[in-house]
Amino acid sequence: METFTEPKELKEYSRYQEQRQKILADLTDDMIDAPIIDLINGFNKLPYCFTLQSCYGHFIYNSQKDSYNCEPLPTSDTITKVDYKIAYICFCIENSELGRGLHEALRGITAIDPVNIQFCCADWFWKKQVNSYALQVEPDRFKHKDRAILDYKEALYIENLRNKFFVHLRKLLQKSISGR
């Protein structure tokens, strides 16, 4: 699946509130990966954004075949390749002062590691929902895909980066809630 296109400019969209209500009415916690339920619900409480899709980022390897595995990668000398399903959150952002501030703050998350974290759009999402943006943790060479085969050492790095990514998003959410 094509996940990456360059970010588009925020547009005026008169149906934002209507779309927000519709999407959030259909969202349940069992649709969200357990480690990020609180984060997704927190962003969805902000009136100037809502989430469309998310993934915690899953690592599948050797005997670990659960495609929704949330366990950390084990210390191992027998794992050579890891199938990584990317960590991401897709947001719809209101074109308002607070929305534009969030847009810039989300873009700033890429500074953690610009080679492996992208702020982007997906054309197929944008067609369904104007002002939709994804923030994803994915090695740059795979940024157009929703999964990648990584060697074990790189997978460990990406796992650590994914964890930092979500810590930074939690800090951003707290700042947004507190208004600081």
Side-chain angles (χ1 to χ4, degrees), residues 109-110 112-118 135-138 161 165:
I109 296 283
T110 63
I112 300 166
D113 182 337
V115 174
N116 293 297
I117 300 177
Q118 300 89 29
L135 193 57
Q136 64 184 31
V137 178
E138 179 86 277
L161 184 59
F165 169 80

Side-chain angles (χ1 to χ4, degrees), residues 64 108 120 128 132 156-157 179:
Q64 176 48 268
C120 56
K128 290 182 181 182
S132 59
L156 287 171
Y157 177 80

Side-chain angles (χ1 to χ4, degrees), residues 133-150:
Y133 299 88
L135 193 57
Q136 64 184 31
V137 178
E138 179 86 277
D140 188 67
R141 68 189 184 280
F142 297 114
K143 69 184 177 188
H144 294 282
K145 304 293 181 189
D146 60 359
R147 61 192 317 155
I149 303 298
L150 307 176

